[in-house]
Amino acid sequence: MGSDRAPRPEVEGAILACRHYDVQVVMVGREEQIRAELQQHPSAHTLPIDIVPASEVIGMDEKAATAVRSKRDSSMRVGLRLVREARAAGFITVGNTGAAMATAKMVLGALPGVDRPALAAVFPTAEGTAAVLLDVGANVDSKAHNLEQFAVMGEIYYRSIFGVKRPRVGLLSIGEEEGKGNELTREAFNLLKQLPLHFVGNVEGRDLYNGKLDVIVCDGFIGNVALKVSEGLVEAVRYLLKESLKSTITSPVGYLLSRKAFADFKKRLDYAEYGGAPLLGIKGVCIVGHGSSNSNALKNAIRVAAQFAQTKINDKIEKGLSSHNPRREPPPSDELGAGPAPA
């Protein structure tokens, strides 16, 4: 209910997902609005789509901590409660990201061995493969052992979703040499090289797209900046390429060929094809997408959530973290950072 154009893209995405995949979708929110949108699609009544009412909505401009505590019947809280009660396999939101992460940590809690969950974003590469960057915003300040946990979770996620037996893991820094970077990256480097992973060492920002890495680890502040810069660059390149094609292609055949090439290019870079970023490290499945997500992005987010649940990634993360017992930070005193709380 909290996206830019809710609930239209959510309803359309649910319809597309039910038609394309073997899934059932539960829509959580203000029932009258959801039903009104569903009525715009006469064939939707034949699809496995249910509605669970939630009277409150957390807006994009609301402070996460305040909204999560005060709005106990928000669509986020009710939806995540369905996951905790095993009435749903996963939760997808394209609303307030901060509120989604805080609510997920409060309602579901963290997996054993996880101090801080991390958001993992998928990037297309020049090799036609995918690279995963984490954390992209769940934690503004991180410690070295947090990055150690991110590396383990990201590597397991990549193996499970993309089928690569030994993903290449890199630490995002300002140079490839071991001594490069700030205090955080230098300390994290020493921890990551001791892990039983294919750790290739420090990598730079350009390595996000060249296909030489599968998993790139960083703190949430840097990761979110990298994510937003990348999204802005993609939009700029799309616009510039489109304008150049308009001004240089004159023949009808050339125009059609250029349109096809542009469409292929746009699809390869479109975040909607990846659906959203999973919040790794919580006891359940939570996918967080853009507030401007369209129906295709929502459809793919549902696909990602279903795949995450079916491959039992959380069991693998829990086992992977327990095998090397990383240093833990003391339990937080804040409700939003603690384990499951009454919902």
Side-chain angles (χ1 to χ4, degrees), residues 7-22:
R8 177 172 296 177
E10 287 84 351
V11 168
E12 292 175 351
I15 292 171
L16 289 173
C18 289
R19 287 174 177 165
H20 285 84
Y21 312 124
D22 182 21

Side-chain angles (χ1 to χ4, degrees), residues 275-298:
L279 185 60
L280 302 180
I282 59 170
K283 295 177 181 177
V285 179
C286 179
I287 309 297
V288 181
H290 289 263
S292 58
S293 290
N294 57 26
S295 57
N296 187 48
L298 268 299

